Amino acid sequence: MADLITDIWEGMKEAGMPEVMLFLADGSASRCHWDETALIGSVRVALLADQDRKIVRIVPVHDCKGIGVASPKGTDPAGYRSVVQVKLNERFRSAQAEEAELEPARSG
């Protein structure tokens, strides 16, 4: 359960949405691309630029409280939801369909 945000983000990356907004435990949010993460042992961390403190924050992704996709400039977020949904459905419905096709072969 602790890696839920990491799993969601990994799925979003596979669906073509590697850049997300991470909602941090302190109530702030920060934009981050999957390529701006690293593994420390088995923990996925986000490397976040903190302009105020002039540091790179190393934040365990599983400590984040939420994840989001920023809508493109000038695009209504309410309307952009359908774009995100289509991308996720295209990626994961096909994976679910493949699993369903394999299921009878496994049980037989």
Side-chain angles (χ1 to χ4, degrees):
M1 191 65 142
D3 293 324
L4 184 59
I5 297 292
T6 303
D7 293 342
I8 292 170
W9 192 1
E10 197 163 15
M12 293 173 71
K13 174 183 67 93
E14 291 173 16
M17 296 174 284
E19 186 170 78
V20 300
M21 292 297 291
L22 294 174
F23 296 92
L24 309 177
D26 66 3
S28 65
S30 185
R31 186 182 302 254
C32 190
H33 192 284
W34 183 265
D35 292 345
E36 297 165 346
T37 69
L39 276 176
I40 299 178
S42 63
V43 178
R44 171 86 39 199
V45 297
L47 307 172
L48 306 175
D50 187 325
Q51 299 296 332
D52 295 336
R53 294 177 185 89
K54 303 203 181 329
I55 61 170
V56 174
R57 292 175 69 180
I58 300 171
V59 178
V61 174
H62 69 262
D63 284 348
C64 294
K65 300 301 177 192
I67 190 168
V69 178
S71 59
K73 196 172 242 176
T75 303
D76 177 24
Y80 194 63
R81 286 185 297 203
S82 62
V83 173
V84 172
Q85 187 174 31
V86 165
K87 286 183 180 185
L88 291 172
N89 285 340
E90 284 174 353
R91 170 64 182 102
F92 294 104
R93 279 196 182 144
S94 61
Q96 290 171 349
E98 288 174 21
E99 285 182 23
E101 288 175 11
L102 292 175
E103 202 55 42
R106 289 183 189 152
S107 61

